[in-house]
Amino acid sequence: MRLTPRAHEIQRVVDVLEDPTFESPDQMAKALIKEVADIVQMRDLIVVVHTWEGGHKGLNFGPFGSTAEAEAFAKKMSFGGTGRLVPLTSSGIMLANHDGKAGWPGYCYQPDCGHAPWMHAIEGSSRGKCHDTTCPCEKFVKDDPTKKKTTRKKAAPKGMAAGINEL
């Protein structure tokens, strides 16, 4: 299965690799495998469903990371019969929508929340309090607060160095 790594996924793996609290390479390897499995579980995938020429159930192949990858596989293999691509809805996404997924893009970055946007009440053009009654979230936080973009200040007009006007 080919997966194109996304920036937030790479950062999660880097965080595991740079964590100084691991006492052994085995501990780090276990944590890394769990992190990558969690990342893959948050992806929708594709399978190829095959039917033999007589109409009997055939072979199923997958998962594939994209439709293009599944189609390329199906073209290379010559089993006979027919096939179709079937999307697999990620169980990780389903669980994250239900339970919350703290620190994951697309979900509320409120530390105690982590729910999907549609779990939050619409207030004007933004989203407010979480509908989950056990969640203390008062406002949907769309972006990771630790990665706030800094705004650049406008340069002072020429001749106004250090706030002094030249006459």
Side-chain angles (χ1 to χ4, degrees), residues 2 20 31 43 63 77 80 82 89 98 103 113 140 150 160 162:
R2 293 184 194 121
R43 297 249 185 140
M77 306 311 281
T82 59
T89 300
H98 182 269
C113 183
F140 180 76
T150 56
M160 301 217 21

Side-chain angles (χ1 to χ4, degrees), residues 65-86:
S66 68
T67 301
E69 183 187 2
E71 288 173 346
F73 171 83
K75 287 177 185 173
K76 283 182 186 177
M77 306 311 281
S78 179
F79 297 111
T82 59
R84 69 177 198 271
L85 303 182
V86 177

Side-chain angles (χ1 to χ4, degrees), residues 19-144:
D19 186 344
T21 62
F22 294 111
E23 295 177 10
S24 71
D26 288 351
Q27 282 183 339
M28 181 183 280
K30 287 176 186 176
L32 190 57
I33 289 167
K34 286 180 180 180
E35 190 63 46
V36 171
D38 188 42
I39 289 168
V40 172
Q41 190 179 24
M42 288 298 290
R43 297 249 185 140
D44 287 334
L45 302 170
I46 306 290
V47 294
V48 176
V49 177
H50 173 255
T51 304
W52 293 110
E53 288 178 9
H56 294 41
K57 291 180 183 177
L59 307 166
N60 299 325
F61 303 96
F64 297 97
S66 68
T67 301
E69 183 187 2
E71 288 173 346
F73 171 83
K75 287 177 185 173
K76 283 182 186 177
M77 306 311 281
S78 179
F79 297 111
T82 59
R84 69 177 198 271
L85 303 182
V86 177
L88 293 177
T89 300
S90 164
S91 58
I93 292 172
M94 296 296 288
L95 286 170
N97 287 342
H98 182 269
D99 300 337
K101 186 76 172 172
W104 196 266
Y107 294 87
C108 184
Y109 274 98
Q110 188 73 260
D112 296 328
C113 183
H115 290 101
W118 53 266
M119 287 285 291
H120 291 77
I122 295 176
E123 293 180 354
S125 62
S126 64
R127 294 191 178 269
K129 185 175 177 157
C130 187
H131 287 302
D132 185 344
T133 56
T134 62
C135 184
C137 179
E138 292 294 326
K139 179 117 178 103
F140 180 76
V141 179
K142 181 179 178 183
D143 297 314
D144 186 350

